[in-house]
Structures are given as structure tokens and as C-alpha cells.
């Protein structure tokens, strides 16, 4: 599990760098196109959605092409009819899924800590810690949901291709 965790940690750290690179490039290119939008929240969501979509597509394709995981999944389910509950259990018990969640949590905690230390922490200490904790839980929760949906979609395609 440690070896898989380190592998996923490196992959997620690299994808985080790619995310921020695309984010800054998108910010530079799209700045003139979003000037007509007055809401800063909508602007931020647009700028965050572009790199997130690129990375999600890349991760989805990499998972779809992973022959070892596909073989293990298809051998596990064999010829049985699988339900959503069984599918969720399979993903939650998957070492890859757990390693990805742990690696993302590590990178996220590092990024949030740096952000709070470099300028986001202007209030009381406990208020900042609560804000850091809530941000961590929110982003990690969103990642878990998106990662789960991605794994379920990949498994569904593998299952349909098997038939």
C-alpha cells in the first residue's frame, strides 16, 4: 500500500502542477472574455472549471486504458450480475481508490497550509484553523465524490465491453 500511495502522491502532485499551470494560462487567456461577468464567484468557477475538466478527462482516459486494473475488476465480478451497492463496496475497498484519496489529502493539506500561511490567515488562530479544516473537508469531500463517480463510470464501461 505504501508503494501505491507514493506512486499516487507523485501522480497527484504532478497533476496539481499541471492544474495550476492550466489555471494561470486560462486566467491569462480568458481574462478579456470574462470581463462582462460581474460576479467574482462565477469568474472563479469558470477559471477553475477549465483545468479541472482537462485533468478529469486525462485521468478518466488513463484509468480506462489500465489493463491490469481492468483484468482484476473483470476477474472479480466474473459472470455475476453486479448491483450499485456491490459496485460501491468494490470501489471503496480498492487499494487504488484509498491510495488516491490519501495522496490527494496530503497534497491538499500542503496546498491549503501554504495558502493560509502566505496570506489567507488574517484572523484569530482558531478561526483560521476552523477555516482550514472546513476547506480541507469540503475539497476532500468533493474529490471523493468525483473520484467515485469516475471509477464507477470506468467500471461500467469495462463491464459493458465485457458483454
Amino acid at each position: 500500500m505504501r508503494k501505491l500511495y507514493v506512486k499516487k502522491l507523485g501522480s497527484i502532485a504532478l497533476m496539481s502542477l499541471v492544474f495550476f499551470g492550466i489555471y494561470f494560462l486560462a486566467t491569462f487567456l480568458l481574462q478579456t472574455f470574462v470581463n462582462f461577468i460581474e460576479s467574482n464567484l462565477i469568474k472563479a468557477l469558470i477559471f477553475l472549471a477549465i483545468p479541472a475538466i482537462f485533468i478529469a478527462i486525462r485521468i478518466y482516459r488513463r484509468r480506462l486504458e489500465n489493463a491490469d486494473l481492468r483484468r482484476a475488476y473483470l476477474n472479480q465480478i466474473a459472470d455475476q450480475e453486479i448491483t450499485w451497492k456491490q459496485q460501491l463496496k468494490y470501489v471503496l475497498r480498492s487499494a487504488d481508490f484509498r491510495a488516491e484519496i490519501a495522496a490527494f489529502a496530503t497534497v491538499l493539506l500542503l496546498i491549503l497550509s501554504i495558502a493560509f500561511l502566505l496570506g489567507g490567515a488574517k484572523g484569530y488562530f482558531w478561526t483560521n484553523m476552523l477555516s482550514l479544516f472546513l476547506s480541507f473537508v469540503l475539497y476532500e469531500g468533493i474529490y471523493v465524490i468525483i473520484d467515485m463517480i469516475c471509477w464507477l463510470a470506468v467500471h461500467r464501461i469495462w463491464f459493458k465491453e465485457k458483454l
Side-chain angles (χ1 to χ4, degrees):
M1 180 73 175
R2 279 189 203 156
K3 188 176 179 182
L4 185 60
Y5 168 76
V6 171
K7 181 181 172 187
K8 297 291 182 180
L9 183 62
S11 175
I12 289 176
L14 179 65
M15 286 296 155
S16 296
L17 290 174
V18 169
F19 176 88
F20 287 118
I22 295 171
Y23 174 79
F24 288 120
L25 183 65
T27 301
F28 176 72
L29 294 175
L30 290 176
Q31 193 65 39
T32 57
F33 296 114
V34 296
N35 282 337
F36 64 91
I37 299 173
E38 292 185 25
S39 172
N40 287 336
L41 177 63
I42 300 298
K43 286 180 186 179
L45 290 176
I46 289 171
F47 288 130
L48 290 175
I50 290 172
I53 289 169
F54 279 119
I55 289 178
I57 290 170
R58 173 70 178 131
I59 290 171
Y60 176 75
R61 287 185 179 164
R62 266 180 79 190
R63 287 180 183 172
L64 207 54
E65 297 167 358
N66 192 328
D68 295 333
L69 290 176
R70 179 186 173 146
R71 201 173 309 113
Y73 171 72
L74 293 176
N75 288 338
Q76 177 78 20
I77 64 167
D79 291 325
Q80 62 187 358
E81 187 67 30
I82 193 161
T83 66
W84 282 102
K85 187 176 180 180
Q86 291 170 327
Q87 191 78 297
L88 284 173
K89 282 182 184 179
Y90 181 84
V91 172
L92 289 172
R93 291 180 184 161
S94 166
D96 279 291
F97 179 75
R98 291 182 300 178
E100 287 168 0
I101 299 305
F104 183 78
T106 304
V107 171
L108 179 63
L109 189 59
L110 178 68
I111 290 170
L112 288 176
S113 297
I114 290 171
F116 276 88
L117 290 175
L118 290 180
K122 292 191 168 87
Y124 294 109
F125 176 77
W126 292 111
T127 307
N128 292 334
M129 289 296 105
L130 179 63
S131 176
L132 178 71
F133 174 74
L134 291 176
S135 298
F136 177 79
V137 169
L138 176 70
Y139 291 131
E140 185 71 15
I142 291 170
Y143 180 79
V144 167
I145 291 168
I146 291 171
D147 198 35
M148 177 71 72
I149 290 170
C150 185
W151 275 115
L152 291 173
V154 167
H155 287 169
R156 184 174 175 94
I157 290 174
W158 286 347
F159 185 75
K160 283 185 176 183
E161 286 178 355
K162 182 188 97 161
L163 299 177

